[in-house]
């Protein structure tokens, strides 16, 4: 069987008109000969009746300390409702659709409630459904553990559901439908000239997601990458081809023979509301063990750190702004000297083409200096260069980097040889 998995986000199922656009996409796939699995998120966003955040707010208004097990059972309801409504929409359009919960679709998870990991997928029921010519409509974001409790998969869980089902069913492609027509070179709300990227590698998309782009969850990308299943990022209301995610170069070239190879930078991402924390030991004494105590203390209370710079006498790193004061209190309580710089943002250039290419950091520094923006600290990997800047400078920093690397014309992005000029 030629199998396709189509995942639709909350805004794609929120209204009758949007659900009809969804049905158009499903009918198109069926007419092309695909056996189709549809994965759906809860309808709408916070404030809408069945959105996950709305259900969570309802539970916490009754009992602020409700156990995660009970919260998972409640939060799974939004996707279940959505699956039934979408299945009904497809039936009204002439398709034989079957609504399934995550558990009924064979998704088995661990017992880490609210952020469960998929352990395995039993595809037998799904395969029977598809062989019978039915469209399976699966509630995303949820599964069931080995003792029969409903679990949820955390942020981006419906993306993860789609990828896991695609892998288990050996799907030909996974389509992720969002409210944008593909992955952009930057946030279009900040950069009006941001372009839709035609093709990206799994590694680039995963890195962009980790660095702030919210089009797809990196866990889903990693699952698809392991099985070499292409992903398309699309909009149900846009006729464009969206963004193809793959590491098979031949597939990318076949889809877009005019694609220019040697792209240096793929895009510019950002994470706002970041705080920089500097920790020094009492009286500046060098202590090789200090870093262990600092980072273990934060890990013990679930505070994640980023942009880490460690020396024998000091540790400098960033945390999310909302936990900065908590981190300060914990570390000060251990006898460290702690200073916090709030109101920062992390801006990152991402691109597989920068690996081993001299001059990329020079271009980053030049672009920001030209705009009068101070770099507070940096970090890099084979695919990224990240700069910490003040929040007030974030938008201008993104625009400056977008212009410096020529991303307003994505097909004419500078090649490797041009990087050091």
């Amino acid at each position: 069987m030629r199998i396709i998995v189509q995942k639709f986000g909350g805004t794609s199922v929120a209204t009758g008109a949007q659900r009809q656009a969804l049905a158009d996409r499903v009918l198109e796939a069926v007419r092309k000969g695909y056996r189709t699995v549809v994965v759906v998120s809860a309808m709408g966003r916070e404030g809408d009746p069945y959105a996950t955040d709305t259900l969570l707010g309802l539970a916490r208004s009754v009992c602020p300390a409700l156990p995660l097990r009970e919260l998972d059972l409640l939060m799974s309801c939004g996707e279940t409702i959505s699956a039934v409504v979408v299945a009904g929409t497809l039936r009204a359009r002439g398709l034989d659709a079957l609504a399934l919960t995550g558990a009924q679709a064979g998704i088995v998870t661990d017992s880490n409630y609210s952020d469960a990991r998929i352990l395995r997928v039993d595809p037998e029921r799904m395969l029977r459904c598809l062989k019978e010519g039915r469209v399976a409509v699966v509630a995303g974001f949820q599964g069931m553990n080995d003792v029969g409790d409903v679990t949820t998969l955390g942020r981006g869980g419906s993306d993860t559901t789609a990828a896991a089902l695609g892998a288990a069913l050996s799907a030909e492609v996974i389509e992720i439908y969002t409210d944008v027509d593909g992955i952009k070179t930057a946030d279009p709300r900040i950069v009006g000239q941001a372009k839709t990227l035609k093709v990206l590698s799994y590694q680039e998309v995963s890195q962009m997601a980790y660095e702030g782009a919210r089009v797809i969850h990196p866990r889903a990308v990693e699952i698809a990458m392991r099985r070499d299943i292409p992903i398309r990022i699309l909009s149900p209301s846009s006729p464009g081809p969206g963004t193809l995610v793959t590491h098979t170069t031949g597939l990318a070239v076949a889809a877009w023979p005019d694609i220019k190879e040697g792209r240096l930078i793929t895009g510019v991402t950002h994470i706002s509301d970041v705080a920089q924390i500097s920790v020094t030991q009492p009286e500046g004494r060098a202590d090789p063990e200090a870093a262990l105590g600092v980072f273990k203390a934060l890990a013990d209370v679930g505070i994640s750190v980023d942009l880490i710079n460690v020396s024998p006498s000091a540790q400098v790193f960033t945390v999310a702004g909302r936990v900065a004061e908590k981190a300060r209190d914990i570390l000060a309580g251990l006898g460290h000297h702690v200073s916090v710089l709030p109101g920062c943002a992390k801006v990152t250039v991402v691109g597989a083409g920068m690996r081993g290419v001299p001059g990329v950091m020079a271009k980053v520094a030049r672009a920001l200096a030209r705009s009068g923006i101070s770099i507070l600290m940096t970090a890099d990997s084979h695919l990224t260069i990240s700069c910490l800047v003040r929040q007030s400078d974030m938008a201008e920093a993104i625009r400056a980097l977008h212009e410096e690397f020529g991303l307003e014309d994505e097909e004419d992005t500078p090649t490797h040889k041009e990087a050091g000029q």
Side-chain angles (χ1 to χ4, degrees), residues 47-115:
D48 294 324
Y50 308 115
T52 300
D53 288 337
T54 302
L55 296 173
L56 190 59
L58 170 65
R60 287 176 173 164
S61 71
V62 176
C63 178
L66 200 64
L68 291 176
R69 177 188 176 277
E70 277 64 35
L71 287 177
D72 271 12
L73 184 59
L74 176 66
M75 288 192 295
S76 69
C77 294
E79 279 71 20
T80 302
I81 292 169
S82 186
V84 173
V85 172
V86 168
T89 301
L90 296 177
R91 282 182 167 272
R93 296 285 296 272
L95 294 173
D96 185 5
L98 178 69
L100 298 168
T101 66
Q104 290 169 334
I107 296 175
V108 181
T109 76
D110 61 21
S111 296
N112 186 24
Y113 298 106
S114 84
D115 193 22

Side-chain angles (χ1 to χ4, degrees), residues 271-351:
I271 299 174
S272 57
D273 188 24
V274 173
Q276 183 188 56
I277 296 183
S278 300
V279 181
T280 57
Q281 281 63 64
E283 300 177 4
R285 292 193 300 268
D287 181 0
E289 298 294 323
L292 172 62
V294 166
F295 297 121
K296 184 177 185 306
L298 296 178
D300 287 345
V301 295
I303 294 178
S304 178
V305 300
D306 195 11
L307 293 180
I308 305 163
N309 190 323
V310 175
S311 70
S313 59
Q315 297 81 44
V316 183
F317 51 89
T318 62
V319 300
R322 67 181 181 277
V323 298
E325 290 304 315
K326 180 178 180 181
R328 183 216 299 266
D329 293 343
I330 290 169
L331 297 176
L334 296 176
H336 299 296
H337 293 159
V338 184
S339 62
V340 177
L341 178 62
C344 298
K346 180 184 179 184
V347 178
T348 303
V349 294
V350 180

Side-chain angles (χ1 to χ4, degrees), residues 255-277:
W256 290 288
D258 62 336
I259 199 77
K260 183 172 182 177
E261 296 200 26
R263 180 175 58 204
L264 182 67
I265 297 300
T266 297
V268 184
T269 63
H270 67 278
I271 299 174
S272 57
D273 188 24
V274 173
Q276 183 188 56
I277 296 183

